[in-house]
Amino acid sequence: MRIIGRHSQISSGDIRQLTNLLLEDIPRDLVGEPVIRLLAGGYSGSLVALIWLGRLDPVVMKAGPSEEIAAEHDHRLRFPHVTGTLPENGLDRIHGPIEVQLNTSAAQWSVIAYRYVGGRSFEEIEHYSDFEEFLRTYVWSANRDQAPSELTIRECLRKVAQILTEKRPEDGDPPLQTLADALPALAWDQGILATLNTAAAFCPDLPDLAGFRAWWESTTESIRVAPVPDRRTLHGDARFANILIDSVHAQVDLIDFGNGRRGHVFEDFARFEIDLLFRTTPVADEKGNLDRSLLSDAVGHLLRDEIAVGSIQIGDHRQVRCIKLWRQAVYQALPAMTRPGALMMYRWFLLAECLKRTRWLANAGVRDVGVDPASLVHTIYALRQNLTGGDLSPTWLSTAPQTLAAALHCRAAYVPTRGMERAVNMKRNIAKKNALQEAAAKASTVRLLAETGNSYLSPRGTFSSEVHDVLNAGGSLQAVISNPGLPEYFGMSESYEARPGNVYRIYGDLQRKCDDSIDGYRLLREQFGPLVELRLARFGLAATILLTDSALFYEPYFRARRVRRQQVLFDSFELQFDTTGLHARTLLEETFEFYWRNSDDLESQRPREPDLDALRRQFLSLWDRSRSDGS
């Protein structure tokens, strides 16, 4: 017995033991000397291997925890199509359990076998191909003689739909369901909402991405009767990777029933159709990003009611033709699709499938998932627009935000676009308050770089309560603000209120904010002593920076008219970074350290007042704005 490859948890000795368990009822002369090649993917489970036998067809061995293997075996036996294709010679049952060693712990494992769809001879192997390659050859091959015929495509899609809809032993007429009961559960808090919120922040032209979960839950729960009630044993993972095909005989086989469960048949249909959409769209670059123009065209056709019944003219658009052939196969396999509202109900399942794939992108590469983030979000937005009766916006998410998020660990961008000023400001303030609350829980140090620091130091400041919580918990605050005695304050004042002629002067509201911050600091200092420190910067500040253990915030300053601040709530934009991003964290921390090092204690300001006043006068003398010629 020879083993090719290595498993991360199971020893070679245990692999031999599991193989012997699987082959124990087969005569030795038929088994010969098995060759075991460990497989890296394509099936779920803890151990998957291809076993070449002496005088028998090769088989796929799957081993894992006994409960999971028993459930998978039970699920596959409910598919009549599969029951007749299991390996012979006693390999159509569960073998085990036996005890195996998983690193330092013992576990009970069992074994099952799948028929290897790869041909009995070398000549037949080329007949079998990956389902994605099979369809992409039909869609995009320039050599039509080498591409499969439309008749073959139609038959293979028909068989997939037939397998997914065929009656199971326990199937019966289910009671009517609400739409919310029929739809699969979504793990909103495990990556879906984070993706949607980030996309909404980066692309405010797609407003329907905001408040997505509330819209989903309220709308689906309001649909009290689902047009197509259904409940059956699902394959649970009916995507291209789990479909094997013999392109010569139009034979289709499903593998990997590890995710089998009870649910609505639309769930299996939607997983297959979304794979069909994304994996027949060609990539546009070496990173695996899809061709957006072709995908947008395919999505537009996907959402048309005529796609399944054949009244729409699609010419030689073979990707859309595949979608049309698939829909026709679904209508043939499930006549209930002709009911009023059935197609609209199906689109909820397509949307649910796209939402699930946002989590896939967080755990795998674009090429593995088959779609890039921008293309996936575009499809999600298009489906929501369709379900709400709106027109599909041509706006696309830029790939730049994804690059920014990946390279700098940027978690969110807060941009006060027209009509969204208050909502965006509230979101960024909530994010800062959460970060300060986490700092209080850990009694850690918060560092602040700001022009006046009024929001944090003033008793009336937005974050005053959270700062008190940090200090009460034993944490500390280090703050650097602009020095009100330096000429920089004249430039800041001009941003508030530019005046023709006359001379530079300090703007009243700016002076008030500075005074409130300093007074607030002194109150904090009396209460918390050295836990709070305030220093005055010697050089002008370019941004507000807030650094906590859990988040980093960066808001650049612009010399815009700050009288608008009362209208837009903040006159810049703000980026929020994870502390796990080494590059952004290093830049922001070093910037803070520069200003901390080049700053002075507040109490040292008083003896320097005469010198600072002289500096201001000298500065003003350089630009005497009282002269009418403006020189």
Side-chain angles (χ1 to χ4, degrees):
M1 184 181 298
R2 183 161 65 97
I3 300 175
I4 302 174
R6 178 177 297 179
H7 195 272
S8 60
Q9 292 181 298
I10 304 297
S11 67
S12 296
D14 278 337
I15 294 175
R16 290 189 176 90
Q17 186 180 4
L18 291 166
T19 305
N20 288 329
L21 180 66
L22 179 69
L23 305 177
E24 61 183 352
D25 295 332
I26 304 177
R28 187 66 183 175
D29 63 319
L30 297 179
V31 172
E33 291 297 324
V35 177
I36 306 165
R37 178 182 292 276
L38 302 188
L39 303 179
Y43 305 82
S44 62
S46 299
L47 171 69
V48 181
L50 173 62
I51 305 179
W52 293 87
L53 304 168
R55 297 168 56 187
L56 297 175
D57 292 337
V59 298
V60 173
M61 175 179 72
K62 182 169 183 180
S66 296
E67 302 82 4
E68 296 179 10
I69 293 296
E72 178 169 348
H73 180 67
D74 179 63
H75 291 149
R76 71 176 182 175
L77 289 180
R78 298 177 191 275
F79 284 72
H81 165 82
V82 176
T83 306
T85 63
L86 293 176
E88 300 175 353
N89 299 293
L91 299 179
D92 56 350
R93 61 182 179 86
I94 299 175
H95 303 261
I98 61 172
E99 183 176 289
V100 299
Q101 194 71 19
L102 296 177
N103 295 332
T104 60
S105 62
Q108 295 292 312
W109 273 30
S110 297
V111 183
I112 57 175
Y114 281 101
R115 183 169 70 92
Y116 172 59
V117 182
R120 298 178 181 177
S121 66
F122 177 79
E123 289 76 11
E124 291 181 343
I125 291 178
E126 64 182 13
H127 298 171
Y128 293 82
S129 66
D130 175 79
F131 203 82
E132 177 178 352
E133 179 184 353
F134 170 69
L135 281 184
R136 287 175 68 88
T137 301
Y138 167 77
V139 172
W140 304 116
S141 176
N143 189 336
R144 295 307 188 191
D145 293 334
Q146 294 182 356
S149 67
E150 183 170 313
L151 183 63
T152 301
I153 297 292
R154 183 189 302 273
E155 180 61 15
C156 290
L157 293 174
R158 185 192 69 81
K159 287 186 176 180
V160 171
Q162 179 184 4
I163 292 171
L164 295 177
T165 55
E166 63 189 352
K167 287 293 184 180
R168 322 286 190 246
E170 79 286 358
D171 289 348
D173 293 328
L176 289 179
Q177 298 168 307
T178 66
L179 179 59
D181 290 337
L183 286 168
L186 296 175
W188 294 100
D189 297 324
Q190 298 179 26
I192 297 177
L193 278 183
T195 299
L196 296 176
N197 290 339
T198 299
F202 279 128
C203 197
D205 290 336
L206 303 181
D208 285 346
L209 293 177
F212 203 97
R213 181 178 184 176
W215 165 79
W216 172 279
E217 293 178 345
S218 63
T219 307
T220 56
E221 289 173 2
S222 68
I223 303 176
R224 305 308 301 169
V225 178
V228 181
D230 184 79
R231 188 164 180 81
R232 66 183 71 214
T233 298
L234 305 176
H235 178 276
D237 197 13
R239 55 196 176 96
F240 283 9
N242 293 324
I243 300 174
L244 300 180
I245 181 171
D246 176 353
S247 58
V248 172
H249 303 97
Q251 176 185 349
V252 174
D253 286 288
L254 266 65
I255 58 174
D256 193 354
F257 293 81
N259 291 321
R261 59 189 180 280
R262 298 279 283 173
H264 199 289
V265 68
F266 280 2
E267 191 174 344
D268 273 350
F269 283 169
R271 175 149 294 192
F272 181 85
E273 184 164 322
I274 293 300
D275 239 24
L276 175 61
L277 172 69
F278 292 147
R279 294 190 180 275
T280 57
T281 301
V283 298
D285 55 41
E286 67 280 358
K287 296 179 180 179
N289 297 315
L290 300 184
D291 186 309
R292 294 181 177 179
S293 61
L294 293 173
L295 176 65
S296 184
D297 190 32
V299 170
H301 282 88
L302 184 78
L303 299 177
R304 297 184 63 170
D305 293 344
E306 304 93 337
I307 194 75
V309 295
S311 61
I312 183 174
Q313 299 299 316
I314 57 178
D316 196 40
H317 195 319
R318 289 180 174 248
Q319 183 185 25
V320 175
R321 190 178 296 276
C322 276
I323 297 173
K324 176 180 176 180
L325 293 174
W326 164 247
R327 286 283 183 88
Q328 289 174 340
V330 168
Y331 271 64
Q332 181 180 359
L334 190 70
M337 285 292 294
T338 59
R339 295 178 184 174
L343 187 56
M344 187 62 70
M345 176 182 174
Y346 179 50
R347 286 177 184 141
W348 284 99
F349 283 81
L350 293 173
L351 179 53
E353 178 61 27
C354 288
L355 292 170
K356 287 182 179 180
R357 296 192 186 211
T358 61
R359 298 185 61 202
W360 297 9
L361 279 167
N363 300 313
V366 169
R367 294 189 182 279
D368 294 328
V369 178
V371 61
D372 57 281
S375 297
L376 183 55
V377 171
H378 174 78
T379 308
I380 289 172
Y381 184 78
L383 282 163
R384 174 169 178 179
Q385 287 288 92
N386 181 270
L387 289 168
T388 55
D391 295 328
L392 176 59
S393 168
T395 304
W396 275 87
L397 288 177
S398 169
T399 56
Q402 282 72 43
T403 303
L404 175 69
L408 298 180
H409 291 233
C410 184
R411 182 187 301 176
Y414 305 101
V415 184
T417 53
R418 185 178 299 275
M420 297 292 291
E421 294 92 346
R422 292 187 179 276
V424 172
N425 187 60
M426 184 177 297
K427 287 176 64 175
R428 72 152 186 169
N429 285 349
I430 290 174
K432 288 183 175 180
K433 288 183 177 183
N434 290 338
L436 291 170
Q437 288 167 1
E438 290 186 37
K442 298 177 181 178
S444 58
T445 298
V446 173
R447 290 169 290 175
L448 172 68
L449 189 67
E451 283 184 337
T452 66
N454 187 268
S455 296
Y456 300 85
L457 298 173
S458 170
R460 296 186 295 272
T462 304
F463 309 110
S464 174
S465 177
E466 286 72 26
V467 168
H468 272 80
D469 290 342
V470 171
L471 300 174
N472 274 320
S476 60
L477 171 67
Q478 295 178 336
V480 180
I481 64 174
S482 294
N483 190 327
L486 291 178
E488 171 65 14
Y489 250 59
F490 292 114
M492 292 162 57
S493 295
E494 281 295 291
S495 295
Y496 279 90
E497 187 181 43
R499 296 169 302 278
N502 211 332
V503 295
Y504 289 119
R505 67 184 182 196
I506 304 300
Y507 187 62
D509 280 354
L510 176 61
Q511 187 65 58
R512 176 190 54 78
K513 289 174 63 177
C514 176
D515 293 341
D516 285 351
S517 295
I518 292 176
D519 291 343
Y521 160 71
R522 290 197 169 107
L523 291 174
L524 291 173
R525 186 77 178 187
E526 290 177 6
Q527 185 175 358
F528 299 106
L531 291 180
V532 56
E533 299 176 84
L534 176 66
R535 298 179 68 85
L536 305 179
R538 297 174 183 172
F539 306 113
L541 307 184
T544 289
I545 295 177
L546 176 66
L547 308 177
T548 74
D549 281 351
S550 61
L552 316 171
F553 296 86
Y554 172 79
E555 179 191 355
Y557 295 144
F558 295 96
R559 295 308 190 190
R561 291 182 58 230
R562 293 198 172 183
V563 292
R564 293 186 305 165
R565 181 177 286 264
Q566 301 303 321
Q567 300 169 338
V568 301
L569 300 179
F570 64 111
D571 45 24
S572 180
F573 59 84
E574 190 151 12
L575 302 180
Q576 179 181 352
F577 300 95
D578 281 325
T579 55
T580 55
L582 179 62
H583 185 75
R585 189 185 74 213
T586 300
L587 289 175
L588 295 178
E589 288 181 345
E590 288 184 353
T591 298
F592 178 86
E593 291 301 327
F594 168 84
Y595 281 101
W596 185 260
R597 189 170 63 249
N598 291 282
S599 60
D600 301 291
D601 181 82
L602 178 65
E603 301 310 319
S604 67
Q605 178 87 342
R606 192 179 304 277
R608 293 194 177 108
E609 283 293 341
D611 293 334
L612 291 171
D613 185 61
L615 176 63
R616 287 195 300 269
R617 292 178 181 277
Q618 182 67 26
F619 171 81
L620 293 175
S621 70
L622 294 175
W623 293 279
D624 182 0
R625 300 185 67 192
S626 63
R627 293 178 59 179
S628 59
D629 61 3
S631 60

